[in-house]
Amino acid sequence: MAHRILRIDSSIKPEGSISRQLTDDILSRLTQAHPGAEVTSRDLGADPLPATDGHWIGAISTPAAERTAEQARTVALSDSLIAELKAADTVVIGLPVYNFAAPAQLKTWFDQLARAGETFKYTETGPVGLVENTRAIVAYSSNGTRFGSDIDFASGYVRQMLGFFGITDVQFVASDHYAIDPASSIKAANDGVAKIAA
């Protein structure tokens, strides 16, 4: 069976995005190691998902047979996003840091995925993720918010959400000081890409 890769970009920059460059590089490394890999791509920056709201929670809370046509479309989109995630062997996520946190459009993707009984379940000992045998590689990019620093509220959030869904094999590649020293920031990221076990 072909290796299945889900690529998620979330930069709002159509050109000159470091996180997109890194997801390109990561994808290239993975597809070289897995010829014939099946790649599914979502560009959340260019094609944002609808935010979760009262209509969304009402739609997913309504039994399928009782949903309106609009509710059915809302749930179908969420279902398709969940199916993409569950089908993936590897998820590659572009994580540009905006104002010390993950982009709103990436959070919306996680919000669309976070459904009890689909990507996680509640147990007596706490929530358990339902996405199995999947790993994630995250391309972290920032002009000056250092990866793992006290002001980095992006990487911990992404790691937490992935873990909540059951994805605990998570690797970060970081270009985290581009505005300060572009050359060394990109070199650090490229070194990280080179170390990825394909």
Side-chain angles (χ1 to χ4, degrees):
M1 181 180 294
H3 192 82
R4 294 163 296 186
I5 302 169
L6 174 61
R7 173 182 176 165
I8 303 294
D9 284 301
S10 60
S11 174
I12 58 175
K13 296 180 180 179
E15 297 179 0
S17 164
I18 300 303
S19 66
R20 288 183 196 278
Q21 177 182 326
L22 292 177
T23 54
D24 277 344
D25 294 343
I26 294 166
L27 196 63
S28 176
R29 181 168 175 78
L30 292 174
T31 54
Q32 286 175 15
H34 300 280
E38 298 175 0
V39 180
T40 300
S41 298
R42 281 197 179 265
D43 189 336
L44 306 178
D47 188 17
L49 297 169
T52 54
D53 55 12
H55 168 74
W56 183 88
I57 195 68
I60 67 167
S61 301
T62 300
E66 300 174 17
R67 290 171 185 152
T68 65
E70 185 178 1
Q71 286 179 323
R73 286 192 295 271
T74 296
V75 176
L77 173 60
S78 179
D79 285 346
S80 69
L81 297 170
I82 290 169
E84 288 173 357
L85 181 66
K86 287 185 171 181
D89 298 301
T90 303
V91 183
V92 178
I93 299 173
L95 173 59
V97 178
Y98 296 156
N99 303 317
F100 313 106
Q105 52 272 21
L106 184 60
K107 184 180 186 301
T108 297
W109 180 69
F110 280 117
D111 289 344
Q112 287 275 358
L113 293 169
R115 286 169 53 192
E118 297 290 344
T119 50
F120 72 95
K121 65 179 178 181
Y122 291 111
T123 71
E124 292 181 355
T125 56
V128 174
L130 299 176
V131 181
E132 301 177 338
N133 304 315
T134 301
R135 72 162 174 162
I137 304 170
V138 183
Y140 177 104
S141 67
S142 171
N143 279 334
T145 301
R146 295 285 187 159
F147 173 74
S149 68
D150 290 343
I151 59 171
D152 166 20
F153 301 106
S155 65
Y157 166 75
V158 169
R159 188 187 294 277
Q160 169 63 29
M161 289 305 302
L162 291 170
F164 185 59
F165 298 154
I167 303 173
T168 56
D169 182 358
V170 182
Q171 181 175 355
F172 284 84
V173 171
S175 168
D176 61 3
H177 54 288
Y178 189 80
I180 301 164
D181 187 343
S184 92
S185 185
I186 291 296
K187 182 181 184 305
N190 288 339
D191 288 346
V193 172
K195 293 177 182 176
I196 291 172

